[in-house]
Amino acid sequence: MFTVKPWSSAEVVHEALAIGLFEGKDSWSGLAGEYDSRLGGQLSNLRKEGDISAKRGRIATIHTMLPTGVKRLYFVGFGKKEELTFERLREVFGKLFRTWKQAKRTEAAIALDTFTTETVDPNEAAHALAEAYYLATYEFPGYKQKKSEPDYALESLTVYTAADAAEIEASLFVGSVYGKATNSARTLVNTPGNLLTASDLADYAVELAKRYDFDYEILEKEEMEQLGMGALLAVNQGSKQPPKLIVLKYQGKEQWENVIGLVGKGVTFDTGGYCLKPRDSMIDMKTDMGGAAAVLGAMEAIGELRPEQNVLAVIPATDNMISAEAFKPDDVITSLSGKTIEVRNTDAEGRLILADAITYAKQHGARYLIDVATLTGGVIVALGTDKTGAMTNNEALFEQLLEASMETGEFIWRLPITEKDRERVRSSKIADLNNSPGREGHAIMGGAFIGEFAEDTPWVHLDIAGTATTKKDGDLGPAGATGVMVRTLTAFVERFE
């Protein structure tokens, strides 16, 4: 896909060549100036007339009409040089790749050094380029009958740079891994619930384990009953589909120590149970396994990058359905930890299955925990659809995760858990815990409930209910699943100390 070469001359032959432009005269004196001279100053005239602009996000397509060389020049505007960031660069690359996709380009080149500044070096630019390519050109294949029109995709992209080719290739590889793993998560989340049951999710995880030589374990319903996973089993009671507890183990160190536990909510469809969701709220509940998808996407990236860390992924998988056997409000259930739970809301099921999964992760060596879940509508009310809510019991662990999120551009915002919040979760008169003590601070109640099972183990909870999907197409992908937190979890694991 990517070929790295040093720049030779304006005689190189390509269907398309992208050149970055910054405001000011300097950028026009480089490669853009070389092509301007070759075209007799026509590019300068087009820039004066506004057809070529250095404003951020502006892309101008110029047909050279030359007998040899590049057929089309794509001038990509970035605005002021000092304002360029990795995130902005990735977004503009995304816009460029979507432009090329719409134009059905199958071969192109990028003059990488025209996309760099003192703060964004060629290696970072290469990572942003590769990540943006896979994110921006992603499409969920869907289930429509095949179109007669052939699909066009970029088959070859030449990256011109004066930087060290081996380092650039390594950065392109890492960026590709981040992008592809995010897309894998997107596809899982976009898949309808009838085609992605708990069993299907387990089969997917086993394939992943075999591909990357992970140890794995799939706990069946009978084993859960023997262990006493009453919380996960309660949520599954109304379903014809059996539950699965998916466990993947990546050992990047000689000793199984300092293990990072990644726990993802895998509710493959959520009706709300007897606390039934209204129709509009039930649509798109196939996406309620976004946390599981994020963890599986991160494990794919970890399998490719092989960091020197130990990682345990635990995914409780089930749907939440209604039948004569389904669990009910007022039921009292006993979790794997032994703690009893009064069920006040059957639609607060995610925290129940995560409770057993977190206990299981701790029993199998996890010393640090991060759970990811499309947990509450309350987090959307609090933070909107562009921010992931976070809660923690450990400042140092949260700071490391926050740094990873800032690096990947996946914004997270911390919500507090106070002693009064814990008291509300413990407010049941007949059990240890209450799974839904009221609407006030609902997102915090969900996090506080899960924290009762993390106990003293350093832990961060990520509520991705707002960020797991988007209703609008963007520069880095279409409407639908976003694959949020795949890249943040991967970056966190890679750099964990």
Side-chain angles (χ1 to χ4, degrees):
M1 172 64 192
F2 300 110
T3 304
V4 180
K5 291 182 179 180
W7 179 256
S8 51
S9 74
E11 299 290 331
V12 293
V13 178
H14 290 290
E15 287 288 313
L17 172 67
I19 298 172
L21 283 184
F22 293 96
E23 291 177 358
K25 294 180 180 178
D26 332 356
S27 62
W28 205 246
S29 62
L31 191 56
E34 195 176 332
Y35 274 101
D36 188 36
S37 300
R38 197 158 183 245
L39 294 169
Q42 291 182 52
L43 298 180
S44 294
N45 293 333
L46 289 171
R47 192 176 187 187
K48 286 173 187 173
E49 292 167 9
D51 293 301
I52 297 174
S53 172
K55 288 183 179 178
R56 181 156 66 94
R58 288 282 295 274
I59 297 176
T61 310
I62 307 299
H63 293 260
T64 63
M65 303 299 182
L66 294 170
T68 59
V70 173
K71 285 187 180 179
R72 301 167 192 83
L73 293 170
Y74 284 77
F75 289 100
V76 182
F78 282 104
K80 295 177 181 177
K81 211 166 194 176
E82 61 272 18
E83 292 179 358
L84 183 68
T85 62
F86 178 89
E87 193 172 350
R88 284 185 176 181
L89 177 59
R90 185 178 53 204
E91 286 173 358
V92 175
F93 270 137
K95 190 170 186 178
L96 172 66
F97 288 126
R98 286 174 75 84
T99 301
W100 279 349
K101 184 176 181 178
Q102 193 173 13
K104 299 179 179 178
R105 301 276 81 84
T106 57
E107 185 277 334
I110 285 180
L112 187 69
D113 296 347
T114 65
F115 291 80
T116 62
T117 65
E118 290 180 4
T119 54
V120 180
D121 65 30
N123 291 322
E124 291 173 306
H127 180 128
L129 182 158
E131 189 177 303
Y133 170 72
Y134 287 101
L135 294 178
T137 59
Y138 170 81
E139 277 185 21
F140 180 63
Y143 307 97
K144 291 185 178 182
Q145 294 181 18
K146 287 187 177 178
K147 298 174 286 187
S148 55
E149 188 181 326
D151 288 329
Y152 287 85
L154 199 60
E155 295 167 3
S156 170
L157 181 63
T158 304
V159 178
Y160 288 107
T161 178
D164 182 88
E167 289 186 9
I168 297 299
E169 285 168 1
S171 295
L172 289 168
F173 171 73
V174 174
S176 298
V177 167
Y178 274 52
K180 288 178 181 178
T182 301
N183 288 347
S184 295
R186 283 170 160 175
T187 297
L188 286 171
V189 176
N190 284 328
T191 302
N194 64 320
L195 302 178
L196 188 73
T197 64
S199 297
D200 295 321
L201 203 59
D203 291 343
Y204 179 92
V206 169
E207 287 176 19
L208 202 65
K210 290 177 177 176
R211 189 191 317 162
Y212 295 114
D213 197 27
F214 299 150
D215 289 336
Y216 68 91
E217 177 183 32
I218 308 296
L219 264 63
E220 304 293 344
K221 185 175 182 178
E222 295 75 16
E223 294 167 283
M224 295 180 206
E225 288 170 343
Q226 290 168 10
L227 290 168
M229 290 189 172
L232 174 52
L233 288 167
V235 176
N236 180 254
Q237 275 176 216
S239 179
K240 284 188 175 181
Q241 294 291 336
K244 305 283 180 179
L245 188 78
I246 300 162
V247 183
L248 301 178
K249 178 181 174 182
Y250 167 76
Q251 187 163 347
K253 297 180 178 180
E254 284 188 21
Q255 301 297 320
W256 187 244
E257 58 188 15
N258 295 322
V259 179
I260 301 166
L262 303 179
V263 182
K265 174 186 171 185
V267 175
T268 57
F269 193 85
D270 183 18
T271 66
Y274 273 110
C275 299
L276 190 66
K277 294 177 183 289
R279 182 186 67 87
D280 289 347
S281 299
M282 204 185 299
I283 291 170
D284 288 333
M285 276 297 105
K286 65 179 183 180
T287 66
D288 209 18
M289 36 61 67
V295 169
L296 288 170
M299 291 305 289
E300 177 182 327
I302 288 163
E304 290 283 351
L305 299 172
R306 315 303 291 186
E308 291 184 6
Q309 304 288 357
N310 292 328
V311 184
L312 181 72
V314 182
I315 294 166
T318 180
D319 48 15
N320 184 21
M321 305 296 284
I322 295 175
S323 77
E325 288 80 31
F327 78 136
K328 313 171 296 299
D330 292 341
D331 283 0
V332 172
I333 57 182
T334 304
S335 66
L336 176 61
S337 71
K339 292 179 181 179
T340 55
I341 303 162
E342 181 184 7
V343 177
R344 302 297 291 177
N345 182 357
T346 62
D347 196 21
E349 85 297 332
R351 66 200 69 179
L352 297 177
I353 68 172
L354 287 169
D356 280 350
I358 279 178
T359 301
Y360 195 81
K362 286 164 61 179
Q363 290 176 353
H364 287 72
R367 294 293 171 264
Y368 307 92
L369 291 165
I370 298 174
D371 80 82
V372 192
T374 47
L375 204 72
T376 65
V379 81
I380 300 173
V381 174
L383 299 177
T385 57
D386 61 337
K387 303 169 199 73
T388 291
M391 280 155 263
T392 189
N393 64 3
N394 187 280
E395 294 289 341
L397 185 68
F398 176 74
E399 284 300 323
Q400 288 202 49
L401 188 69
L402 182 63
E403 285 179 21
S405 76
M406 291 170 69
E407 184 180 318
T408 59
E410 295 184 319
F411 193 99
I412 66 175
W413 189 258
R414 183 178 172 183
L415 297 170
I417 296 177
T418 67
E419 194 54 41
K420 286 189 177 180
D421 298 323
R422 296 185 186 94
E423 287 171 8
R424 286 182 66 196
V425 167
R426 298 168 188 161
S427 65
S428 171
K429 293 180 181 179
I430 60 171
D432 296 319
L433 302 171
N434 174 344
N435 86 319
S436 185
R439 290 176 60 84
E440 300 86 356
H442 188 58
I444 295 173
M445 291 303 101
F449 181 91
I450 296 167
E452 291 294 304
F453 297 87
E455 296 176 313
D456 295 331
T457 304
W459 155 80
V460 178
H461 162 63
L462 296 171
D463 191 338
I464 59 169
T467 52
T469 58
T470 179
K471 293 181 179 178
K472 295 180 180 178
D473 291 348
D475 291 337
L476 292 171
T482 61
V484 72
M485 290 298 129
V486 170
R487 289 168 290 145
T488 293
L489 292 178
T490 304
F492 168 80
V493 168
E494 278 196 288
R495 290 154 182 72
F496 179 70
E497 294 179 1

